[in-house]
Amino acid sequence: MERRIPKKGDIYRHFKGKKYKVLCLATCTETGEDMVVFETAEGEKKVYTSFLETFLSPLDTGKYPHADQKYRFELCRDTMEGRGMGLKRHGSVTSLILEFLDLEEDEERIRFLQKHRSEIDARFLTAACESLEFTENSETVEERYAALMRFLKTKAKYESRRLR
C-alpha cells in the first residue's frame, strides 16, 4: 500500500520521538525532486526539509532494531490538523466526526467522505451512520464506507426533488 502524501498542517512523529508539523511541499531547484518542509511541533521552532521519498521511507531496522516505528516519519492520527482545527481526540470521538456532524447537506457529506477517505475508520463510520439514522450491516470498513456513500447518494438524489 502506498503511503499518503503529507499535507500542510499534518503532524508527523520521527522515529526518535520528536513531532514535526508539515508546512508545505516544495521542489528542489537542483534535482527537481519533491521535498517536505516541516518544523518542530514542540519547543524551539526550527524549520527543516527532507526529500519526500526519504521522509516517507521505511526505517532501516538493521540500523535501528529497537525503534517502535516502521517508517522514518509516521503520521500522528490523534493530532492531525484539518480545516484549521486539530483532529485531536475528544474522549472517544475525533473532531473529524464532529466536523462531519456539522454538515447540513448530503452533497457536503459526500464530498467530505471522499476528501477524508484515508482517515475514515470503523469508529467514524459508526458515528456517521448513527447520526444519519442509517443501519448498515457490512463487515469491513471498505464495505461500510461504500454502503454509507450509496445511502447518501440515494438520499441526495431523491430528497432534492421534494419541496421543503
Side-chain angles (χ1 to χ4, degrees):
M1 178 171 89
E2 268 189 40
R3 296 202 53 212
R4 168 187 175 288
I5 301 297
K7 295 179 185 171
K8 180 180 180 176
D10 285 350
I11 305 292
Y12 278 79
R13 180 179 295 107
H14 187 264
F15 75 95
K16 291 183 179 177
K18 286 190 177 180
K19 291 183 181 179
Y20 298 90
K21 179 180 180 180
V22 175
L23 298 176
C24 65
L25 295 182
T27 303
C28 178
T29 58
E30 302 294 320
T31 65
E33 290 180 80
D34 291 326
M35 299 189 77
V36 180
V37 181
F38 55 100
E39 71 179 355
T40 52
E42 305 158 329
E44 182 185 339
K45 297 288 184 190
K46 284 185 135 184
V47 177
Y48 299 94
T49 62
S50 175
F51 289 110
L52 178 62
E53 186 176 328
T54 305
F55 190 88
L56 297 175
S57 68
L59 190 59
D60 181 352
T61 54
K63 192 172 179 181
Y64 302 101
H66 301 293
D68 295 333
Q69 294 185 187
K70 182 177 179 180
Y71 297 99
R72 295 181 65 76
F73 288 89
E74 289 190 359
L75 185 62
C76 296
R77 295 246 176 237
D78 60 337
T79 57
M80 290 186 310
E81 291 186 14
R83 285 195 188 176
M85 74 193 310
L87 295 179
K88 296 179 180 153
R89 295 188 186 279
H90 299 284
S92 62
V93 182
T94 64
S95 63
L96 185 65
I97 293 169
L98 297 175
E99 257 186 271
F100 180 81
L101 296 176
D102 284 338
L103 301 174
E104 295 181 16
E105 301 293 326
D106 291 322
E107 290 84 7
E108 288 179 303
R109 292 180 182 116
I110 291 167
R111 285 191 298 275
F112 182 89
L113 291 172
Q114 290 169 335
K115 179 181 176 183
H116 296 283
R117 175 67 186 107
S118 64
E119 303 164 62
I120 292 173
D121 61 7
R123 190 185 57 205
F124 174 91
L125 289 169
T126 299
C129 290
E130 287 177 2
S131 74
L132 297 168
E133 297 179 359
F134 171 60
T135 305
E136 50 85 27
N137 56 7
S138 302
E139 291 185 23
T140 67
V141 171
E142 291 79 18
E143 291 170 341
R144 293 176 66 195
Y145 173 83
L148 178 58
M149 289 295 285
R150 281 191 305 275
F151 170 76
L152 285 171
K153 287 177 180 178
T154 302
K155 190 173 175 229
K157 179 179 178 180
Y158 291 105
E159 287 194 356
S160 66
R161 295 181 185 170
R162 291 184 358 192
L163 293 176
R164 293 177 190 232

